[in-house]
Amino acid sequence: MNTSLNKPLISVVMPAYNHQAFVAEAIRSVLTQTLQDIELIIINDGSTDNTEKVILEFADSRIRYFTQSNQGAHHALNRGIALAQGEYLAIINSDDVFLPNRLEIMFDALQQSNLDFVISDINLINEYSEIIVDSSHWWLTWYEDVKQRYQQTPSPAATLLAGNYAISSSNFFFRASLANKLGGFRPFRYILDYDYVFRAALITPRTFSFLIGQKLLNYRLHSSNTIMENRLLANIETRYFIKQSISKYFGDELRAPVAYLSKIDNYIKKIQQHNFNQSIHALRQQNDQLQHQHHQLHDRCERLIRQLALFENSKSYRIGRMITAPYRWFASKWPGK
């Protein structure tokens, strides 16, 4: 697709996997940016739906499309970053949406303040691309809490251990030169973005910035989100990451991370209890069904026994026995009986 020898200012990397319903909107949101000096590197990570068909409908020289067998989001991201030609890097997942001026504002902020890594405020959207504005929504309540923590804590890395306020790798904008210092995305299933942004905040705390109040990304929350597929494993992975990070990087700055770790423990226990209760409920339902079937079978047998007794005591049965007595006697004497 992109055959130009001129290097773009910004490389946008998009890992794509089974998002046929959302990927077109994600691609359009990149191609229609107010800052146009870009390339869009799409890595199709072995999609089994019509994601590839949707991608190939776009004819734009700025798109560089690659496909591979399914190897995980971390591999797709690392491959995209390795292929990037731009001086600056941005990431967008194939179910999220950039606001039209996102790249321009992020680039200007990075340039004006000599930053290395920038994230923005976000909107939460549903599967229909509608912005969720209900302030009592559990996700928005949590997000407002972690944003307040960021504003109150001088260390961006320490604050991350109280909650991932970056939310998603779709929110990352950084210098390509920083990628070598950070290393690649690690093979986490649920927290690869959390681990990556934590390393960025830890390595470059003075050149790391969160543009609170500037909502430049629409983050989509839907049933197919990776983080939603298994809440128990997601919380276990988060707990492991936080525990390792606390012991490795921090000494006395433990209050907020430990409190968050306790919350994660509680989440894990609640999910385990919920799963256990569901299993018990299912077993009880099965037992009730078996008991009901047993009672039905017992009642049927009782009815059949009563019907048989009535039949054997009936006049017609006795007459029948008398009529067939000679035949039964003859049959009993037949050779082979």
Side-chain angles (χ1 to χ4, degrees):
M1 289 179 173
N2 186 356
T3 59
S4 174
L5 297 178
N6 296 323
K7 292 185 177 181
L9 179 66
I10 299 170
S11 295
V12 182
V13 176
M14 176 187 291
Y17 179 71
N18 283 0
H19 279 156
Q20 63 180 19
F22 309 125
V23 67
E25 186 177 7
I27 292 172
R28 281 194 295 269
S29 77
V30 176
L31 299 180
T32 56
Q33 286 290 299
T34 55
L35 195 162
Q36 289 281 294
D37 189 5
I38 63 172
E39 66 174 351
L40 174 58
I41 301 171
I42 305 175
I43 309 293
N44 182 1
D45 188 34
S47 295
T48 57
D49 63 358
N50 288 322
T51 293
E52 180 172 70
K53 180 181 178 181
V54 175
I55 293 170
L56 294 177
E57 290 175 354
F58 287 85
D60 192 299
S61 62
R62 293 170 296 170
I63 296 177
R64 298 170 62 197
Y65 176 64
F66 304 87
T67 185
Q68 62 183 31
S69 60
N70 182 251
Q71 300 177 59
H74 72 284
H75 187 278
L77 285 165
N78 289 336
R79 184 181 180 188
I81 290 173
L83 291 166
Q85 299 175 331
E87 186 178 351
Y88 303 92
L89 292 171
I91 296 171
I92 182 169
N93 294 312
S94 52
D95 56 348
D96 294 330
V97 182
F98 281 175
L99 270 70
N101 57 349
R102 174 179 173 82
L103 294 181
E104 181 179 1
I105 292 176
M106 300 289 271
F107 173 73
D108 288 345
L110 189 146
Q111 289 290 98
Q112 292 171 10
S113 301
N114 195 27
L115 301 172
D116 290 320
F117 199 104
V118 183
I119 62 174
S120 77
D121 211 329
I122 70 169
N123 293 311
L124 182 67
I125 60 173
N126 60 22
E127 58 187 317
Y128 306 108
S129 299
E130 299 167 336
I131 296 176
I132 299 172
V133 295
D134 180 7
S135 59
S136 65
H137 188 283
W138 67 269
W139 193 96
L140 293 178
T141 301
W142 170 83
Y143 186 47
E144 289 302 318
D145 179 65
V146 293
K147 285 196 293 185
Q148 289 180 15
R149 287 184 181 275
Y150 174 84
Q151 293 173 305
Q152 296 166 359
T153 308
S155 169
T159 310
L160 276 167
L161 293 180
N164 181 14
Y165 52 79
I167 305 302
S168 167
S169 54
S170 291
N171 203 8
F172 299 173
F173 186 90
F174 55 104
R175 296 182 189 273
S177 58
L178 182 61
N180 293 328
K181 297 178 183 178
L182 294 177
F185 282 85
R186 294 168 178 162
F188 287 110
R189 173 62 180 166
Y190 302 101
I191 60 162
L192 77 167
D193 54 323
Y194 198 173
D195 169 69
Y196 197 84
V197 72
F198 175 75
R199 281 182 277 147
L202 193 68
I203 292 173
T204 61
R206 295 181 180 177
T207 56
F208 180 100
S209 183
F210 182 6
L211 306 181
I212 293 179
Q214 298 205 53
K215 296 186 176 183
L216 305 175
L217 170 70
N218 287 346
Y219 172 71
R220 194 184 305 273
L221 189 67
H222 57 95
S223 58
S224 299
N225 282 101
T226 300
I227 199 70
M228 299 292 284
E229 72 179 14
N230 192 317
R231 293 184 300 150
L232 176 59
L233 291 180
N235 278 287
I236 289 174
E237 197 171 84
T238 302
R239 185 188 188 282
Y240 169 81
F241 162 70
I242 293 173
K243 185 176 180 181
Q244 293 296 315
S245 298
I246 289 173
S247 61
K248 185 174 181 180
Y249 299 111
F250 295 95
D252 297 329
E253 301 177 48
L254 298 179
R255 184 173 299 177
V258 168
Y260 185 50
L261 191 59
S262 296
K263 287 183 179 180
I264 295 296
D265 284 338
N266 288 333
Y267 292 152
I268 292 172
K269 290 176 183 177
K270 287 180 180 179
I271 294 167
Q272 287 176 324
Q273 185 64 48
H274 175 71
N275 292 343
F276 176 76
N277 290 340
Q278 282 190 321
S279 298
I280 292 296
H281 180 67
L283 288 172
R284 285 175 176 168
Q285 283 187 320
Q286 291 176 6
N287 182 65
D288 290 344
Q289 289 175 353
L290 289 173
Q291 289 287 344
H292 180 66
Q293 291 172 358
H294 173 75
H295 289 316
Q296 285 183 323
L297 184 59
H298 180 267
D299 291 344
R300 186 178 179 185
C301 288
E302 289 290 333
R303 286 196 301 270
L304 289 173
I305 290 171
R306 288 194 297 269
Q307 289 172 1
L308 181 60
L310 289 172
F311 177 68
E312 289 178 344
N313 291 326
S314 68
K315 185 176 180 179
S316 58
Y317 177 77
R318 291 196 298 270
I319 293 173
R321 293 285 291 178
M322 290 173 61
I323 293 172
T324 59
Y327 169 78
R328 286 183 282 107
W329 178 87
F330 181 75
S332 69
K333 301 299 181 181
W334 194 261
K337 290 290 183 179

